Amino acid sequence: MTRSDAAAKVSGTAPYAVDVAITGMLHAKVLRSPHPHALVTQIDTVEAEQTPGVRAILTRRDLLDTELRERWAGNDVQHRPADRPLVASHSYGYFVKDQPILALDRVRYVGDSVVAIAADTELAAARALSRVQVHYELLPPVADFDAALADDAPEIFPEAPLAMTPVYGQGASGGTRPRPNVCYRFAYETGDPAAFDRCDHVFVDEFGFDGRQQHLHLEPFVAVARWAGGTSDDNRLELWSSCQNPFPVRKEMARLLGIGEHRVRMQVSYLGGGFGAKNGCKTEPIAALLARKAGAPVRYCLTMDEGFLTMRQHNARLRLRTGVMSDGTLVAREAEVLLDAGAYADASPLVAEKAGYRVAGPYRWQHIRTVTDAVLTNTTPAGPFRGFGGPQANFACESQIDMIAERLGIDPVELRRRNLIGLGEAYVPGESAMDSDLAEGLELVADRIGMDQARPAGRGRGVAVGFKDSGGVNKPAQARIKVATSGDAWVQCGTVEMGQGAQTALREVAARVLDVPRSRVHWSDLDTDHTPFDQGTNASSSISVMGQAVQKAAEAARLRILQFSATALEVPVERTDFTDGMVLVSPQDGSGEPDRRPLAPLVMGTYGGTGFEFTGEGFFKAPSDSRAPLESPCVSWEYGWGAAEVSVDADTGMVTVHRLVVSGDAGTVLHAGACRGQDEGAAVMGLGGALFETMRFDGPVLSNGRLVDYRVPRSSDLPPEFISITQEQGHGPGPFGSKGLGEGAMLPVASAIANAIADATGVRVTSMPLTGETVLAALDAARNNQ
């Protein structure tokens, strides 16, 4: 079954935001801070304004009200500031509105945006930026957890930014700024803490997740902005954007600009990858403000290298205290998790939620207590990353499970088998039940890698279970299906196609319900003026959440066709059916073949030659429940089972992965190629993060922030034996028993490799990436202790 977007992408005709070109369009560039932490004492743009081709310059003076202009920008030299502030609010974010559109009183990391210029060409804008003079007063930076949390640490935000905390259910809590340089804390607790007193053993282990992976989506961050129609006070902002959540971005842009949401129109085509980075505002505010100031359309497209200065994965430090019985029964777990949020909160509160909620793993416990702090540092901001919160939590959880098995002398597969939550059992009180048989998936990968078989000389094997809640938190989705006189149909929904195959899968859902070939079901472009609302394309929600909305919309459209046909033919609706543009009417006595009537003549007979469209609306959201820890029960659960076979060079610490087996559960496969692609793509991303892929910082300064310096997996890095297995256990909540996948297979890779390293060498490596230097240090430490 061919993907619906295959021909356009292979031929190069698929439209992306990066391809948008409008007559008279200007190009934007941004001057970025060379310092990790400094006060901005003066900005001088006089020479820049005189550069040929420059049409608009944006600085903090355009963002501040009169009082703040005097307080922070009185010394700035700018010939043409806006007569009045261009915004109602100068900062954006998720729970915490702390990231300014441009630096106000200070910069907080190397790469922070300071001045933006729109010119006729990118070259002219770059030349003008070179003529901007910015004076700084350096402040001491905080580069890591220890520096940020020290008693005498300088505060990155001396004044509290605007923030909110969601309403949590039983056992969960959260709050902003619990201590200096912590932007958010999430905590979860269930069960009796006294369970530790009943344990035969209590093990405490610490893990370092130093993988600051770069999302490295091939299409860069880009937005094209145009103000159109009406006077300056009621014109509309049109935005073409490479974002994963256009409706929330529309809302945030309206808040920043102080206008109604109806005056912001977002249009999103294909995305050239996202992996979480393209959630929330990135390029949109600067493009919109420069377009307003210049009175012309503006395109703001980052380079790939600028992407390194915009978003990254969280590095983490995790401490697990786990109580067990001598027979391997898991009893209690407490976890302390630190996430490095970088300079701004972005979605770190959400990542803290997920890491803290998932760190217990898919196991039965009598007691769980976790506390997760998102810590601010003067480094590139961190945000959602594929499986967000899951890679950090899973590495620590699954590594310690193996460590406990080794200490107790129990086979690691058997230890997991005894403690995995069963199909249909709730994860924690108030939460939804597991919708996959975890033991079945574990046995599948363990058998395929040969966990119970003898190892070749010098090799080790390891397994791990990846686990995350899926479908988003309290996430609503709407869809609309239109069916024309001809029987052709259109899917209208807010899901963004970014390579995952969502268009193909959702068209397949509509085609099955309407009983028409998928070639007759078409995809409507995403435009917030016309497309039904969706919260965003993230958390593997396209099938488990939007899929249910599309299914309901198709069912509603089909019912309208049947009701119309029954009326037109003067038969009970129970006798009608619809398939591929034909109305079928069963005989009154129930015997014999149905009478086949084309839909088109029936429509023409009622509405004339203009025809008609049958429309169905669909909506889905998990019901809110105060008993659910995260506002509403999880829609679905996503798993990734992984197994690896490795060898380790004792002299260099270099790890070679000889075999890698991954598996995810699609519930029911709607497109085999897309499912396989999601699992294998996730596994390779996990492989890169496990072995070498990370943004390296020398203190607060990024040292490999160029694409030419950043190591990503190559085809030669793939193991000689790389196997992915798509399971169809059939228990998903989505259409026909389907469920989301695409993040799960990434989660177990690092811990499976770490477990295999321990099996091969007898040495446990508790920090990643598992580079030669890291592994060799662990080997040397073990040799020195002998």
Side-chain angles (χ1 to χ4, degrees), residues 22-26 54-57 80 86 118 225-229 232 235 286-298:
I22 301 173
T23 301
M25 183 174 72
L26 306 177
V54 169
R55 305 302 175 195
I57 297 181
R80 294 180 292 173
L86 296 176
R226 176 175 66 185
W227 290 87
S232 60
N235 57 3
I286 286 176
L289 296 183
L290 282 173
R292 168 173 275 187
K293 193 170 183 182
V298 170

Side-chain angles (χ1 to χ4, degrees), residues 414-435:
E414 176 59 26
L415 180 65
R416 289 176 171 84
R417 187 186 297 116
R418 294 178 188 177
N419 292 282
L420 285 168
I421 302 173
L423 176 66
E425 290 184 45
Y427 171 51
V428 292
E431 189 52 275
S432 60
M434 298 291 102
D435 52 15

Side-chain angles (χ1 to χ4, degrees), residues 299-372:
R299 177 182 187 263
Y300 179 31
C301 181
L302 303 191
T303 65
M304 294 290 285
D305 290 352
E306 284 180 302
F308 285 82
L309 302 175
T310 304
M311 186 59 51
R312 64 169 173 85
Q313 185 187 38
H314 292 78
N315 52 304
R317 183 184 295 173
L318 306 95
R319 182 178 186 272
L320 304 187
R321 178 172 178 256
T322 302
V324 302
M325 305 306 292
S326 294
D327 65 358
T329 300
L330 302 177
V331 178
R333 169 165 285 174
E334 293 183 346
E336 298 173 4
V337 182
L338 297 179
L339 296 173
D340 184 348
Y344 298 108
D346 197 82
S348 290
L350 294 172
V351 180
E353 280 184 4
K354 298 305 185 182
Y357 197 51
R358 298 166 177 169
V359 73
Y363 303 103
R364 300 184 187 92
W365 302 96
Q366 297 176 31
H367 170 64
I368 300 171
R369 181 180 179 273
T370 70
V371 177
T372 304

Side-chain angles (χ1 to χ4, degrees), residues 667-729:
T668 299
V669 168
L670 297 178
H671 189 281
C675 291
R676 178 182 175 186
Q678 285 295 284
D679 275 349
E680 293 184 359
V684 171
M685 189 172 275
L687 182 71
L691 296 179
F692 46 75
E693 191 176 342
T694 184
M695 289 168 57
R696 296 189 301 272
F697 284 83
D698 182 5
V701 179
L702 179 62
S703 61
N704 65 336
R706 299 187 305 159
L707 185 58
V708 70
D709 298 323
Y710 184 78
R711 176 79 160 88
V712 294
R714 301 183 291 256
S715 58
S716 58
D717 291 313
L718 290 177
E721 188 173 342
F722 177 33
I723 300 169
S724 67
I725 306 168
T726 304
Q727 299 179 55
E728 288 190 90
Q729 294 194 17

Side-chain angles (χ1 to χ4, degrees), residues 436-468:
S436 289
D437 187 324
L438 286 156
E440 179 181 328
L442 175 63
E443 296 294 343
L444 184 67
V445 297
D447 289 347
R448 194 62 177 264
I449 205 72
M451 284 296 292
D452 59 352
Q453 299 173 10
R455 276 71 163 147
R459 295 193 182 183
R461 295 175 186 151
V463 298
V465 181
F467 155 83
K468 68 179 288 290

